[in-house]
Amino acid sequence: MKHFRIIIALVLANIALTVNCQDHNYDAAPRNYDAAHQDSLLARQSLNSFDSALAASRNCQLSIVNCQLNALLDSIDHNNTTLIALRREAEARKLENRTDITLADPEVGLKRMWEGAEQTGNLTEFTVGQSFDLATVLGKRKGVAVQKNQLVDEEYRAQRMSILLEAELVCIDITYYNALAAELDRRLGHAHRVVEVEKRRLDSGDTDVLSYNNVVLSLSALEAEKARVEMERGVLMTRLAHLNGGRPLGFDAQEYAPATLTDDFESWYQEALQRSPDMALAREEREVRRSELSLSKTMHLPTLSATYINERHRTGERSQGFTVGMNLPLWANKNRVRSARTALSAAEAREADAELKLRSQLLEGYERVRGLQHTADLYRRALAEANNSEMLARAMDEGFISVLEYLQGIELYYDYLDRSLNADREYHRALAELEAWRL
């Protein structure tokens, strides 16, 4: 109502200005002109304030949608049964990677000799021995375990991203069907009014049965489409609950969370390169192979051993001492370093290949998203500038067009609106897939 009053004030001010200019009263005209001009400026300022308030309200709603989507993804991250199993499996693998990073177990021995008639040697011998693997002492095995654990984390992150991306795409589809269902509700309300009007005209003899049947069929088609949309939305809500570990979730957004793509591809690509799970996996695999190469070189060093000996003789005397040994790996580690070096070279080649593939995929996806964004913007601007639904309804009510012409015109508008909704969905789906590394 406030907006309507402002528009009326603006119109009256412009009328007053026109009338004053036509009176040829040049003494009074400047004063009237100034007053009208001030009223016009006040009205325009009020309209600008109103538009700013509308924009702020819409931004607030979009922020709420963004918060709702983030909360939903957090819930799925916590409750998804696949992710729960993957987290436990990752923890088990990380513990397994740390099983061989300690020294070998000490050896304890006890020898007892039975006293014989001619025995003159010792009766009891007690020994404690420990071997020292230099690869363990120098921390090489621990370094490999740390790198393998980081590789496990990156593998889990890639699987988590895949599941959260699936959930986000489901939410985008639900948003599309929510918006389409709301639009169909508006169309059904309008179609019911048209049917009622045509029914009264049919009863009064102002139209024929053919025209009435056309609007009834149009109404039936809308009802069938609404039923299909509700079915599709129900299927998606069930799928969303499954992703949340069987716990139902509510998501009633009819607009998408704010999402735009930067114009600077190179800086965006560098960020994607650093955060992409595929590249992180390739980098971690390379580091694992590098650590294994360092370990294999260390394993050519000898393994030391020390043993404490305590003997008790039949004469009651005791003697103590120790022995030191060395295990020389002359044959057991043959070709181990060469194998590790080859594995490292292969990992580096896979990393370079992964980077090349990633750039190609991101560039293709980037161009596709920019094109879809442009298409969606074109549909949106066209709908804002050429909305003929109300004019078609008035033209039919006043008898300027027939019911068949009205149905053809409104069907064209509805088809264009459906295309706009679908273009928005395709744009946001493509953008979500392109920036899945942000999850």
Side-chain angles (χ1 to χ4, degrees):
M1 182 61 71
K2 180 179 178 182
H3 194 188
F4 180 74
R5 289 199 298 268
I6 294 171
I7 294 175
I8 294 298
L10 180 61
V11 172
L12 292 176
N14 289 332
I15 292 175
L17 176 62
T18 303
V19 171
N20 288 328
C21 290
Q22 292 177 350
D23 286 340
H24 302 288
N25 187 354
Y26 298 108
D27 294 332
R31 291 191 297 272
N32 292 333
Y33 175 82
D34 292 339
H37 183 64
Q38 290 178 358
D39 291 340
S40 177
L41 288 177
L42 290 174
R44 287 191 174 90
Q45 290 174 359
S46 300
L47 280 174
N48 292 334
S49 300
F50 185 80
D51 292 338
S52 300
L54 285 178
S57 176
R58 186 173 184 275
N59 291 334
C60 182
Q61 292 176 355
L62 293 179
S63 299
I64 293 174
V65 171
N66 197 22
C67 292
Q68 185 181 8
L69 178 61
N70 291 335
L72 186 144
L73 293 179
D74 289 340
S75 177
I76 292 176
D77 189 14
H78 178 73
N79 297 323
N80 184 266
T81 54
T82 302
L83 289 179
I84 292 173
L86 289 174
R87 282 194 290 267
R88 294 176 181 175
E89 180 184 356
E91 187 63 26
R93 291 174 59 190
K94 291 166 74 172
L95 291 174
E96 182 181 1
N97 290 335
R98 297 181 63 85
T99 55
D100 296 330
I101 63 174
T102 58
L103 292 173
D105 296 329
E107 296 183 3
V108 179
L110 178 64
K111 182 172 72 173
R112 172 68 178 173
M113 301 296 294
W114 299 106
E115 185 175 358
E118 299 179 354
Q119 184 176 5
T120 59
N122 62 309
L123 296 177
T124 306
E125 180 181 282
F126 176 74
T127 61
V128 178
Q130 175 68 57
S131 61
F132 298 92
D133 181 8
L134 291 182
T136 302
V137 173
L138 298 177
K140 299 299 182 180
R141 294 186 185 275
K142 183 178 180 180
V144 172
V146 170
Q147 294 297 332
K148 285 185 176 180
N149 286 346
Q150 292 180 359
L151 181 62
V152 170
D153 289 337
E154 293 301 334
E155 289 175 350
Y156 169 76
R157 178 171 168 253
Q159 293 166 325
R160 172 183 174 272
M161 185 200 73
S162 177
I163 291 176
L164 293 184
L165 174 60
E166 180 183 359
E168 185 174 4
L169 293 178
V170 170
C171 290
I172 290 173
D173 289 341
I174 292 175
T175 302
Y176 165 75
Y177 282 110
N178 286 342
L180 186 57
E183 174 60 28
L184 287 173
D185 285 337
R186 287 190 290 269
R187 296 178 189 179
L188 283 169
H190 186 67
H192 278 293
R193 289 192 297 271
V194 172
V195 169
E196 292 174 358
V197 171
E198 286 300 302
K199 177 62 176 174
R200 288 195 298 269
R201 295 179 62 187
L202 178 65
D203 294 338
S204 62
D206 294 334
T207 188
D208 54 15
V209 177
L210 182 60
S211 298
Y212 176 73
N213 288 342
N214 285 335
V215 295
V216 171
L217 289 175
S218 177
L219 175 61
S220 299
L222 288 174
E223 291 174 342
E225 179 65 11
K226 178 63 185 303
R228 186 192 69 83
V229 168
E230 292 295 340
M231 180 271 295
E232 294 288 349
R233 185 166 57 176
V235 170
L236 290 171
M237 294 301 295
T238 302
R239 186 177 174 188
L240 195 63
H242 169 71
L243 290 172
N244 194 42
R247 296 175 174 84
L249 287 170
F251 192 72
D252 56 358
Q254 298 181 15
E255 293 186 78
Y256 301 101
T260 55
L261 192 61
T262 178
D263 294 332
D264 187 357
F265 173 78
E266 288 301 327
S267 61
W268 175 85
Y269 167 72
Q270 290 300 323
E271 182 182 3
L273 184 65
Q274 295 300 319
R275 298 176 59 179
S276 169
D278 293 336
M279 284 305 304
L281 279 173
R283 285 192 294 266
E284 289 302 329
E285 184 181 0
R286 180 203 62 201
E287 292 303 317
V288 167
R289 301 307 178 194
R290 192 184 302 279
S291 298
E292 289 178 343
L293 175 60
S294 178
L295 173 62
S296 65
K297 292 179 179 178
T298 308
M299 291 179 67
H300 279 284
L301 298 176
T303 300
L304 304 177
S305 63
T307 304
Y308 165 77
I309 304 173
N310 188 321
E311 295 182 348
R312 181 186 175 210
H313 300 272
R314 65 191 300 266
T315 59
E317 297 178 354
R318 294 176 180 270
S319 60
Q320 304 179 41
F322 65 90
T323 62
V324 177
M326 181 182 297
N327 179 17
L328 299 177
L330 297 179
W331 300 286
N333 294 327
K334 185 179 181 181
N335 293 326
R336 189 183 297 272
V337 174
R338 184 180 301 175
S339 174
R341 186 175 287 113
T342 304
L344 174 60
S345 177
E348 290 173 344
R350 283 193 295 270
E351 182 184 9
D353 179 63
E355 182 175 351
L356 182 62
K357 286 182 178 178
L358 180 66
R359 182 176 179 86
S360 177
Q361 292 172 356
L362 290 180
L363 183 58
E364 292 175 5
Y366 182 87
E367 295 298 333
R368 180 171 181 269
V369 168
R370 293 295 298 272
L372 290 173
Q373 183 180 14
H374 179 67
T375 301
D377 290 341
L378 285 178
Y379 276 119
R380 199 177 299 110
R381 286 196 298 268
L383 284 173
E385 296 172 358
N387 186 348
N388 294 332
S389 58
E390 296 298 330
M391 288 188 292
L392 286 170
R394 287 198 301 269
M396 184 188 68
D397 292 339
E398 296 175 4
F400 291 107
I401 60 175
S402 66
V403 173
L404 181 59
E405 291 173 328
Y406 165 77
L407 292 177
Q408 291 174 343
I410 202 66
E411 184 65 26
L412 178 62
Y413 170 74
Y414 287 162
D415 179 69
Y416 203 87
L417 183 57
D418 292 342
R419 290 174 182 268
S420 176
L421 292 175
N422 189 64
D424 275 339
R425 177 175 69 160
E426 292 299 322
Y427 161 66
H428 283 88
R429 283 182 63 91
L431 182 60
E433 292 174 347
L434 183 66
E435 294 192 331
W437 45 268
R438 294 186 183 276
L439 296 173

